[in-house]
Amino acid sequence: MKILIVEDDEFITEALRLVLAQQHYAVETANDGEAAWELVQVFAYDLILLDVKLPKLDGISLCRRLRSRGYQMPILLITGQDSSHDRVVGLDAGADDYLVKPFDREELVARVRALLRRGDLTSAPVLEWGKLHLDPSSCEVTYDQQPIHLTPKEYALLELFLRNNRRVYSCNAILEHLWSFDKIPGEEAVRTQIKGLRQKLKAVGAIDLIETVYGIGYRLKPLETISVPSVEIGKQTQQQTLFAIAGVWRQFEERVSQQVALLERATVALLQEQLSDELRTTAEYEAHTLAGSLGTFGLGEGSRIAKKIERIFQAQSISTEAAAHLCQLVTALRQEIQRPEAQVMATEHQQETSPLLLIVDCDRLQAEELASIAQQQGIRTRVSTNLIAAREAIYRENPQVVVLDIAISPTTEESLQLITQLHKQTPSVPVLVYTARDSLGDRLAVAKSGGRYFLHKSTPPAQVIAKLAQILQSSDRIAKVMVVDDDPQILATVRSLLEPWGMKVTTLANPRCFWETLAATLPDLLILDVKMPHINGIDLCQVVRNDPQWNGLPIVFLTAYNDTNAVNQVFGAGADDFVSKPIVGPELVTRIVNRWERIKLLRNLAEIDPLTGVSNRQTAIQEFETLLNQAKADDQPLSLAIIRLDSLQQINIHHGYATGDALLRRVGQLLQQFFHEQAIVCRWAGAEFMVGMHGTSRSDGKARLSAVQETLYQEVVANGTGELNFSIGFAHYPEDGTDLQSLYSTGTTALVPIDIAATYA
C-alpha cells in the first residue's frame, strides 16, 4: 500500500516515514500543498497523511480540492491544534479522520489501518483468502496456521492482492503501488518478488495461490466459492481478443496457404538446383512474415517452423542436409496450418463488430422501444431491468455506451456508483441518464459522478438513440493509432484488437508513404515493424525523433526479432515500448491502452488549468480556432460567452484566498456541467472564463448560464460569502466577428454586470 505524507516539518516527516515503513507501507512525501496536488494527479495513493498548516496550499484547501475533483482515498489530517472547531472544519472539508500532534505511534498506525479497511473490497481487521491470513496489526502472515516469513516487499505485495482480491495487477501497477516514484525499479523487480512470494507460499502448501493472467499481470487465484462474474476478468479479455483474431484468420486463411505454397515452390526449385536469387529472397520474406503472424492465430508451432525456414534461406549457402531438412519443415508447416484446431478457432465464434448499447431500466416496455430503434440504426442492444443484471452484463459483454434510469434502484446512490465505475473504467464507458427525474440536484449528482448526458423521459426515444449515435461517433475518447507493417495480416489483427477499445486505427503497408500518412493522420501513438522492404522501422523511428514536431510521439515496435541486439537497436532509436511477434492479443491491448492513458494524463497536466479543471488559455486558443473553422465549414452559428467574476478580489480580502480559489473551482465545475459536450470551457485570465458553443444561439447560451447563476447563488447563501457579482458578455459568429480576437473584443464590450444576491433576493 502506498501512503503520501504532506508535511513541511522535516523532522516530523522523517518520523512518520520511519513508522509507516516499518509497517511495510511504501511512503512518499511532499512539503507543501501544491507539490502534493501535483503528485496525486500523477500517482495513485491508498491514503494521505495531511498536515493542516502548509505553505502554498494549506491542508484544508487541498482536502477540499481533492474531494471536489473526485479523489476518494482516505485522508488523515494531522495538526498541532486540538479544538473542536478545527476538527469540524477538517472533517467538513472531506477528511476521514483527525490526529493531533504530538501523537502516539501505535495510535497513528491503528488509525491508518482502520482507514485502509474502509475500502469497498474488505472490511475485516484480518485479511483472509481461504486458509491464508494476513494480520495488518502484527504484520503476521499464516497459511493453515503455519507462519510465513516474508520480506517487506513480499508482505506489501501480498497485502495489495488481499485488499484488492478481484483485481488483476500489471507490473507497472504493482511498481506504482509498492515503490516510491523516485525509487521505481524495472519490471524484473516485480517478477522477482512474485517468484519469491510464490516459493514461500508453496513451501507451506499454498500452491498456485498467485496466478498469472497472460499478457496482463497477476492476481490471487479465485477460490471455488467465488462466483464467476466477480473473478473472470482476465478470461473475458482473452475471449474478446480471440474473437477478433478469429475474424482476421478467416480473412487471410487463403493468403497464408498461398505463402506456404510459395515456400513449397522455392523448396522444389532448391532441390532441382534451380532456385533463383529473386525466389530465394521472396521465400525468406514470406517465412519471416509467417513467423511473425501464425502464433497470433494460435499456431505457435507454425511460427517456430517458419522461423527455422527463414534461417535456412538466410544462410549464404544451403547444404544438401539443410535442403532435406527444409523440405521436412515446409511439409510440417503445411500440416500445421491445416490442423483441425486452426479451423475450429476460426469458426467457433463470430464476433459482433457493431457497437453494443446496454439499457438499464425497470420499465421493460420503454427499454424495448429504445432497443428496437437502436437495432434499426445498426446498434446491438442488451436490456437489464435491475442493477445486479446490469453489472453482470457490463462484465460479460463490455458495452460501448449505457443508457441508465437513475430511479432503477431504491436509492440514487447505487445508480451513481455505477456511473462512477463506468467513468473510471479503461476505456471509460459514457453513460446517458434517461429518467423521469429532473431536479437540479439530480443533474449535479450525475455530472459529479462522471455522467455526461442527462435527458428527461419526455424526450422521444428516436432523439435518445440519435444522441447515442452521436456519442458513439464522438472523438473525445478515441486514440488515433497509426500502424506501419508490410504484413496485411498483422495490420488487420492490430486493427481488430484495438478498435473495440475505442481507438481509431490507420494502417500503412508501404513505408515509403510514411511521412504523408503521418501528416494526414496526426496520430497519438505510432506502431512500427522493424523489418520492412525499402525502409525499416528503426530508420522511421529515427526520422520521427529528429523532427521537432513529432519527436515526442510515443512509438511501440512490433517485431519477430527479440534477441538482445534487436532490442538494443529498437530502444537506441528512441522506441517507448516493444512487443514481440507473434502478437499476444491481451498483451498488445494492455500495453497500448496503458500507454494511451499515460498520454492523456500528460496532456491534461499541460492543457488543464490546475485550479479550476477547465482548459487553460493556451489550449483554449487552439480549441477556439478549431471550433471557428468548424462553424465556417458547417455554416453554423457560434456563441462566445465571457464570464468575469468582478467581486473575486473583495472575496479574497474579506474571506481569504482559499475561499476565492474554492469559488473559482466551483465556477469551472458548473460551466463544465451545464454546457453540452461540443462546448469549450476555459479559464481565460485570473477571474475570467470563456465558453465557446458551436451551433448555439445567444438565447440558448444565456439559458444555460441562468442555471449556473441560480446554483451559484444557492452556494453563496449556503457558504455565507456575501455578495457575488460578476459580468456576462456575449458575442455571436458571424455577425459580431469572424475571428477569435474580434469576437472577444465584442464580448468584453458587451459585458453586463449581474448582482446575484440582488437578482435572487
Side-chain angles (χ1 to χ4, degrees):
M1 312 296 284
K2 182 181 283 190
I3 296 176
L4 175 64
I5 300 173
V6 191
E7 168 66 68
D8 60 328
D9 187 316
E10 294 183 5
F11 176 77
I12 294 177
T13 300
E14 183 61 18
L16 289 169
R17 190 191 65 78
L18 288 173
V19 169
L20 295 173
Q22 289 174 354
Q23 299 297 310
H24 307 316
Y25 297 120
V27 180
E28 293 177 0
T29 62
N31 56 16
D32 65 71
E34 288 294 351
W37 171 243
E38 292 176 3
L39 286 172
V40 169
Q41 293 178 91
V42 179
F43 302 102
Y45 296 99
D46 299 290
L47 182 142
I48 297 178
L49 262 67
L50 180 60
D51 189 19
V52 171
K53 291 190 175 182
L54 292 168
K56 297 186 179 179
L57 181 67
D58 65 88
I60 300 296
S61 298
L62 175 58
C63 190
R64 289 197 181 106
R65 178 184 294 184
L66 290 167
R67 294 310 188 215
S68 68
R69 295 295 293 274
Y71 290 97
Q72 299 299 317
M73 75 284 283
I75 298 176
L76 175 58
L77 282 177
I78 50 178
T79 182
Q81 299 181 5
D82 184 13
S83 71
S84 59
H85 174 73
D86 290 333
R87 288 196 292 272
V88 169
V89 171
L91 295 173
D92 283 345
D96 297 272
D97 203 352
Y98 206 94
L99 194 60
V100 179
K101 304 175 188 176
F103 41 78
D104 181 75
R105 170 188 174 280
E106 292 184 0
E107 181 184 1
L108 167 67
V109 172
R111 286 178 183 265
V112 167
R113 285 199 302 267
L115 288 174
L116 290 174
R117 286 200 302 268
R118 293 183 186 178
D120 294 331
L121 299 179
T122 179
S123 58
V126 177
L127 305 175
E128 300 180 354
W129 194 249
K131 298 178 181 180
L132 180 67
H133 292 230
L134 184 148
D135 187 349
S137 63
S138 62
C139 296
E140 294 178 350
V141 180
T142 61
Y143 182 81
D144 198 14
Q145 300 183 346
Q146 301 178 70
I148 307 174
H149 303 289
L150 303 176
T151 66
K153 276 292 182 283
E154 290 168 349
Y155 176 92
L157 180 60
L158 184 58
E159 183 181 11
L160 178 68
F161 285 141
L162 287 169
R163 290 192 184 276
N164 306 273
N165 51 47
R166 299 178 182 178
R167 178 174 171 181
V168 180
Y169 280 94
S170 67
C171 285
N172 283 336
I174 293 173
L175 287 170
E176 290 179 2
H177 276 83
L178 301 190
W179 276 269
S180 301
F181 72 91
D182 56 343
K183 299 178 181 178
I184 292 181
E187 292 185 2
E188 188 59 37
V190 173
R191 287 186 276 270
T192 300
Q193 296 296 332
I194 291 285
K195 181 179 179 181
L197 181 56
R198 279 173 167 164
Q199 289 175 342
K200 292 181 180 179
L201 291 171
K202 184 178 180 180
V204 294
I207 300 174
D208 296 331
L209 194 63
I210 298 173
E211 71 174 2
T212 301
V213 180
Y214 190 67
I216 299 179
Y218 305 95
R219 66 173 176 187
L220 287 179
K221 188 173 183 179
L223 300 175
E224 293 180 357
T225 55
I226 299 297
S227 61
V228 172
S230 64
V231 299
E232 296 282 335
I233 299 173
K235 186 174 181 180
Q236 176 202 15
T237 304
Q238 293 178 11
Q239 186 180 45
Q240 179 180 343
T241 57
L242 174 65
F243 291 168
I245 291 170
V248 179
W249 173 259
R250 289 191 296 273
Q251 181 182 353
F252 288 96
E253 184 179 2
E254 180 59 32
R255 183 180 183 276
V256 170
S257 180
Q258 293 172 1
Q259 289 176 290
V260 176
L262 187 140
L263 296 178
E264 291 168 338
R265 190 166 74 251
T267 302
V268 171
L270 175 64
L271 294 174
Q272 296 175 351
E273 299 182 353
Q274 296 178 356
L275 180 62
S276 65
D277 291 341
E278 181 181 356
L279 181 56
R280 176 171 173 167
T281 301
T282 305
E284 177 193 339
Y285 171 77
E286 296 295 358
H288 174 79
T289 301
L290 289 169
S293 63
L294 287 179
T296 303
F297 303 111
L299 303 175
E301 182 61 24
S303 276
R304 287 186 284 272
I305 293 171
K307 188 67 177 176
K308 294 177 181 178
I309 294 172
E310 179 190 9
R311 288 171 181 163
I312 292 176
F313 281 118
Q314 284 176 337
Q316 292 184 352
S317 62
I318 303 175
S319 65
T320 304
E321 293 80 4
H325 184 45
L326 176 63
C327 186
Q328 295 173 351
L329 289 173
V330 172
T331 301
L333 184 58
R334 170 63 71 181
Q335 294 172 348
E336 182 70 13
I337 67 170
Q338 293 177 340
R339 283 193 305 113
E341 291 85 350
Q343 303 305 315
V344 170
M345 182 210 67
T347 58
E348 185 179 16
H349 297 287
Q350 182 173 2
Q351 182 191 21
E352 294 277 6
T353 57
S354 59
L356 176 63
L357 160 66
L358 175 63
I359 302 170
V360 187
D361 196 326
C362 57
D363 186 343
R364 181 170 286 279
L365 290 177
Q366 177 91 66
E368 290 179 349
E369 183 179 3
L370 284 174
S372 176
I373 298 173
Q375 288 163 2
Q376 293 172 15
Q377 301 291 325
I379 301 173
R380 291 184 295 135
T381 60
R382 296 290 184 272
V383 174
S384 296
T385 55
N386 59 70
L387 286 182
I388 295 175
R391 291 183 182 278
E392 184 171 346
I394 289 166
Y395 157 76
R396 291 190 177 280
E397 304 197 56
N398 189 31
Q400 279 73 55
V401 64
V402 174
V403 170
L404 171 68
D405 184 353
I406 55 174
I408 194 171
S409 58
T411 62
T412 309
E413 187 63 31
E414 293 182 59
S415 298
L416 296 176
Q417 288 175 357
L418 179 61
I419 296 174
T420 301
Q421 172 193 337
L422 292 168
H423 177 65
K424 292 182 177 181
Q425 191 170 304
T426 304
S428 64
V429 178
V431 177
L432 186 152
V433 170
Y434 187 50
T435 182
R437 302 174 61 165
D438 195 19
S439 71
L440 179 61
D442 287 330
R443 288 178 176 268
L444 284 172
V446 167
K448 289 178 179 179
S449 299
R452 292 182 295 170
Y453 311 93
F454 195 108
L455 294 178
H456 190 266
K457 280 200 171 178
S458 59
T459 306
Q463 291 186 21
V464 177
I465 299 305
K467 170 56 70 175
L468 289 172
Q470 181 183 349
I471 294 170
L472 288 168
Q473 295 172 2
S474 175
S475 61
D476 63 349
R477 62 189 292 266
I478 292 179
K480 293 186 290 185
V481 179
M482 179 175 167
V483 190
V484 187
D485 196 307
D486 57 311
D487 186 349
Q489 295 165 227
I490 294 296
L491 295 177
T493 299
V494 174
R495 179 191 294 277
S496 66
L497 289 172
L498 297 184
E499 284 186 341
W501 291 84
M503 299 187 184
K504 181 179 180 181
V505 180
T506 300
T507 59
L508 178 65
N510 183 0
R512 288 179 291 186
C513 300
F514 173 79
W515 201 250
E516 310 92 273
T517 308
L518 183 73
T521 305
L522 301 176
D524 301 299
L525 186 140
L526 181 63
I527 299 177
L528 296 174
D529 186 19
V530 171
K531 184 176 180 179
M532 295 182 289
H534 311 297
I535 307 174
N536 65 56
I538 291 176
D539 290 341
L540 290 178
C541 182
Q542 291 173 332
V543 167
V544 172
R545 291 292 178 248
N546 290 337
D547 185 87
Q549 179 183 354
W550 292 106
N551 57 15
L553 179 66
I555 299 176
V556 176
F557 270 89
L558 284 178
T559 180
Y561 297 111
N562 54 13
D563 57 277
T564 303
N565 182 54
V567 173
N568 290 337
Q569 274 191 297
V570 163
F571 284 109
D576 295 281
D577 208 346
F578 180 98
V579 178
S580 296
K581 295 180 184 177
I583 297 170
V584 177
E587 178 187 6
L588 177 66
V589 168
T590 301
R591 287 179 182 269
I592 298 301
V593 169
N594 287 344
R595 182 68 57 182
W596 171 235
E597 290 300 314
R598 286 194 289 272
I599 293 169
K600 289 195 293 184
L601 173 62
L602 292 174
R603 284 185 178 174
N604 283 340
L605 292 175
E607 298 173 0
I608 301 299
D609 176 57
L611 177 61
T612 63
V614 301
S615 297
N616 58 32
R617 180 170 181 152
Q618 182 178 357
T619 303
I621 291 174
Q622 299 173 355
E623 292 178 339
F624 276 122
E625 292 295 343
T626 301
L627 207 61
L628 270 171
N629 291 334
Q630 183 181 348
K632 294 174 182 178
D634 298 341
D635 193 23
Q636 290 288 320
L638 185 147
S639 292
L640 181 71
I642 300 173
I643 302 97
R644 183 178 293 169
L645 306 185
D646 300 319
S647 58
L648 180 64
Q649 184 175 359
Q650 293 301 315
I651 290 174
N652 286 335
I653 293 172
H654 294 119
H655 301 281
Y657 283 90
T659 301
D661 287 350
L663 175 62
L664 287 169
R665 278 194 299 272
R666 190 67 187 124
V667 172
Q669 291 171 350
L670 289 171
L671 291 176
Q672 287 180 307
Q673 290 164 6
F674 284 98
F675 288 92
H676 58 71
E677 64 278 0
Q678 287 185 298
I680 294 171
V681 180
C682 81
R683 184 183 181 191
W684 190 253
E688 188 172 283
F689 294 83
M690 281 209 319
V691 181
M693 295 163 279
H694 179 264
T696 305
S697 65
R698 294 175 191 263
S699 58
D700 289 342
K702 289 182 178 180
R704 291 179 181 274
L705 278 177
S706 295
V708 178
Q709 293 174 25
E710 183 177 354
T711 304
L712 271 174
Y713 170 69
Q714 293 171 356
E715 296 200 3
V716 167
V717 172
N719 295 330
T721 54
E723 294 185 354
L724 171 65
N725 303 321
F726 63 89
S727 301
I728 294 179
F730 268 90
H732 207 253
Y733 167 86
E735 55 265 35
D736 294 331
T738 57
D739 57 37
L740 179 57
Q741 184 175 354
S742 60
L743 288 170
Y744 177 76
S745 177
T746 302
T748 52
T749 303
L751 281 168
V752 176
I754 296 177
D755 184 336
I756 283 192
T759 301
Y760 294 96

